[in-house]
Amino acid sequence: MRDNEAKALELPNTNGLLHRRVFLKGGAAIASIPFLAAGVSAEDRSAPDLVPEWTREPGAGMSPYGDRSHHEADVQRNVVSQPGTVGSGASRTPLQSLEGMITPNSLHFERHHNGVPEIDPKRHQLLIHGMVKRPLTFDLDNLGRYPMVSKMLFIECSGNSAALLAENPVQASVGELHGLVSCANWAGIPLSSLFEEAGVDPAAHWVIAEGADAALMSRSIPLEKIMDDGLLALYQNGERLRPENGYPMRLLLPGWEGNMSVKWLRRLKVVSEPAMTKDETSKYSDVRPDGKSLLFTFPMGVKSVITSPSAGMALRDKGIYQITGLAWSGSGRIQRVEVSADGGATWSEAALDSPVLPKAMTRFRMGWNWSGGPAVLQSRAIDETGAVQPSREAWLAERGRNAVYHYNAIQSWQILQNGDVRNVYV
Amino acid sequence: MRDNEAKALELPNTNGLLHRRVFLKGGAAIASIPFLAAGVSAEDRSAPDLVPEWTREPGAGMSPYGDRSHHEADVQRNVVSQPGTVGSGASRTPLQSLEGMITPNSLHFERHHNGVPEIDPKRHQLLIHGMVKRPLTFDLDNLGRYPMVSKMLFIECSGNSAALLAENPVQASVGELHGLVSCANWAGIPLSSLFEEAGVDPAAHWVIAEGADAALMSRSIPLEKIMDDGLLALYQNGERLRPENGYPMRLLLPGWEGNMSVKWLRRLKVVSEPAMTKDETSKYSDVRPDGKSLLFTFPMGVKSVITSPSAGMALRDKGIYQITGLAWSGSGRIQRVEVSADGGATWSEAALDSPVLPKAMTRFRMGWNWSGGPAVLQSRAIDETGAVQPSREAWLAERGRNAVYHYNAIQSWQILQNGDVRNVYV
């Protein structure tokens, strides 16, 4: 570590945030280890006694469907089920262990209301009925002939990050706090084409979506959204949907709260008024400070979170680190992400990985030269509509403490003198 | 199926290719099933005796690391190892069963020269040495502090599609024929930043990359490519690299033949001349008709293939189908994909899914109204440099029959009268 090189890259008065040059060219010694093995030159590195045992014998063969290394077994979803139930609860994506913009299918978050049904894909059908000229059913074979589309889309549970409403900061990983959000390459059939085929009554304005799970999870959806970008999703990151993501078919409403993207979809009923189902009255309505509820708060707000460094991690030494995280908005593309290393006193613009896509995760990055002194790291996302991610204080002032959905405030990570990272309210 | 609706969408004289409107709005009856259940109205669909058994009882719980449905177990990589070896060979991605642009990690193609080494990530190191000021080593902990970048990138084995050189058309699935190509969201460290830190001698022009597998897979790489967009990849579709993709770290050279993206990377030696390793002389050089070889043919050509319908599938009835496939180029973005339903007599422009990214897979789609008569389906990709995917005839005329690498000619699928799909040369 050469301090003068790192210093030369610092943005002034930011508590060590670094110029973007560090991403393009490097140039500062960050954490490499000079080659100093006793009695052997770098050129002799291939000498037999320096070749590890795994290089000395033939390796394992190919496999039909691969698995990850057993060394990665600790990277898991955090499973929490409601007492007395098996499948009513959630599992959260371990955001602290992931990189890039895609969530691998095995780690996509789950939220179920009565477990994952074991559906026979040959027998499952989707019915479109109600205020239509021709009630229609579709099975997987038929659907295979329809024109499809694929898109990168995030799904976020509207209850994500609710732990941040606690009076005192909960010490848990970023995945445990914010991991009810994931992003995948979804492929399926635009619902507009199936609805055009059924022939929708012009007096219809809503659609009731019903899942084939034992909860018969049901939501009312504006017909306009279905016709705009509603998707009947059949594939997730290339392969068929995973069972916990609605196999063999799910509704997908880009940018809207996750529970509306009804999994194991069996029925879309076209109607004139919302149905006021149990799932949109007992849950998924936002209780305001005065005790009344907001119904039908569909789009997820603009949001970001630093995934590294984050709570539970520790910086081992002062010097250069990468600050990275994810940003997303239910209203479109991420326009900009700003990072602060001084608890919000100053903000600097982060680099964004390509592609930056509407209603998808965007990975942001910022170099940082940690002085070893006190620091609070924050990120703040701005989307293409100009919406700015609020501070926790502003969010609470507007929504109050009765609300448990749609928390999208700025997350603060404090770096302690010893390098430990903690969840704090600032 | 209402024939007049489908007819109204046809592009004239194309043997049934359809206007793009079919993707946007539908409007033609494709393959839906009118709801005609005896003695029950569509509204009564939720009557208890019509609710399937999986809806009547609570489903399964959440899981820390999910798996796919057992109903999908037949979707597998096609494993072929060289006789007498375990890990020398390849497994191919089942392109016929996938959708979108991402290949799930468990189905990413494999090509190994002496198996998959079982590497302890805590002990694995990368050495950068040779013509540098400071030989450096890096382990996973150190690398975790470096600024990273993530990108969607395809990797294709230069031996992909070599079965198409056979005298007579091989009848096999599109995955078995063309499945040595996959696409993922890769994240890692730009090698330029590690090389800047090591301090490269201005007289150096090449880098020898060596893997930690028992084959010590080694290739010579122009330093310019390393500094341009060479990546030390650590993550694949969000999670750590899979063992068969180089866990814990691999070289990734966007757009270049797959074997150069050396897996299990242990050494990058900076040199002045290429090393003429076994892996670039005995293999991966292109033998020309006159018996001489072309060395160092790095970028993969512009290419596309229709994945559905494709060999081994069968159309069950005349009417509307989706034609879809993948296109990619080692030289940049896909500019356009054209589809023919009449063996190349006419070509129509296909729709491309977003995002269209450089050196990544692009999904293309075209609606088609099959008359039930003879048809040969083809796709032809054009990239942003203007390069056009050649016909098989043109490819053979230029490269001859000794070459087994870099086959990128147009694939032809014949639709037989009974709906069966076959690989043909036209």
Side-chain angles (χ1 to χ4, degrees), chain B residues 18-40:
Chain B
L18 298 180
H19 191 274
R20 285 188 57 177
R21 185 180 179 283
V22 78
F23 288 93
L24 305 174
K25 277 285 175 189
I30 295 182
S32 61
I33 311 159
F35 184 86
L36 293 167
V40 58

Side-chain angles (χ1 to χ4, degrees), chain A residues 92-128:
Chain A
R92 289 168 165 80
T93 296
L95 300 173
Q96 65 278 9
S97 304
L98 304 185
E99 250 295 341
M101 67 181 284
I102 291 285
T103 311
N105 288 344
S106 294
L107 294 170
H108 193 289
F109 87 86
E110 302 174 85
R111 172 75 180 100
H112 313 310
H113 296 76
N114 206 346
V116 180
E118 160 64 43
I119 296 181
D120 180 350
K122 292 196 175 61
R123 288 174 50 210
H124 180 82
Q125 288 191 326
L126 169 67
L127 170 65
I128 295 180

Side-chain angles (χ1 to χ4, degrees), chain A residues 45-47 51-52 55, chain B residues 124-127 129 207-213 215-221 249 251 260 262-269 277-279:
Chain A
R45 174 66 169 260
S46 53
V51 172
T55 304
Chain B
H124 181 82
Q125 288 191 324
L126 169 67
L127 170 65
H129 67 133
V207 174
I208 310 166
E210 183 184 82
D213 57 332
L216 285 169
M217 175 77 193
S218 303
R219 286 295 312 255
S220 304
I221 297 152
M249 59 188 75
L251 184 58
M260 303 184 71
V262 173
K263 294 180 288 193
W264 315 293
L265 189 69
R266 69 185 296 267
R267 206 151 65 107
L268 291 168
K269 183 174 181 178
T277 71
K278 69 183 189 313
D279 301 301

Side-chain angles (χ1 to χ4, degrees), chain A residues 147-163:
Chain A
M148 287 202 267
V149 67
S150 63
K151 292 179 183 179
M152 304 287 171
L153 295 169
F154 80 83
I155 301 180
E156 182 179 18
C157 176
S158 58
N160 194 22
S161 314

Side-chain angles (χ1 to χ4, degrees), chain A residues 28-59:
Chain A
I30 295 182
S32 61
I33 310 159
F35 184 86
L36 292 168
V40 58
S41 76
E43 309 315 307
D44 288 340
R45 174 66 169 260
S46 53
D49 55 335
L50 289 177
V51 172
E53 66 275 18
W54 51 74
T55 304
R56 293 186 217 166
E57 51 185 34

